Amino acid sequence: MKKRFCKISSSIMALLVLLSTFSFAVDRHYCGDVLVDFSFFGKAESCGMEMQQSKDSHYHLIGNKGCCEDQTLAIAGQDDLKISYENLNDEQQVFVVSFLYSFINLYEGFDTKIAPFKDYSPPPLIRDIQVLDQTFLI
């Protein structure tokens, strides 16, 4: 049971480290207020309604944009896995010390075995039930 728990907890911790260092980007293409396409791994495809402008045209200087818009949501992963514990404030230090103290004391064993039934005597045996029922262990 203990080996299985260790394997499960180590797998969960490895998955947590993998997910915390993983970064990804989502590219979305909107036409007006409607989401037309999204992509996790590449550029989202266009709906084909962009305005075609010639290079010599000054139409883009007027400020009139088309109805389409591309948005990119990028989530950066954690690059530094070594966390510094040197700059903890007083409340955080008290929490860490109290957590470690309670966690270590949780697994301390008892000096003697405790038998909660040692002060109680067994019930009196009035009849031998095995002989009455004629059931014997072989």
Side-chain angles (χ1 to χ4, degrees), residues 1-13:
M1 182 69 177
K2 187 176 181 181
K3 287 183 181 180
R4 187 178 297 169
F5 176 72
C6 287
K7 287 182 181 181
I8 290 172
S9 63
S10 63
S11 299
I12 289 172
M13 288 170 40

Side-chain angles (χ1 to χ4, degrees), residues 112-130:
T112 60
K113 281 191 163 183
I114 297 175
F117 53 84
K118 72 178 183 175
D119 295 332
Y120 300 105
S121 62
L125 185 61
I126 298 172
R127 296 181 185 148
D128 194 5
I129 295 176
Q130 289 180 343

Side-chain angles (χ1 to χ4, degrees), residues 35-36 40 49 61 73 84 89 91 106 113 138:
L35 176 65
V36 176
F40 289 110
M49 294 185 61
L61 296 176
L73 172 68
S84 174
N89 61 17
E91 292 176 2
L106 182 65
K113 281 191 163 183
I138 298 177

Side-chain angles (χ1 to χ4, degrees), residues 32-48:
D33 291 335
V34 178
L35 176 65
V36 176
D37 190 28
F38 68 94
S39 175
F40 289 110
F41 300 111
K43 184 162 175 53
E45 293 183 14
S46 173
C47 62

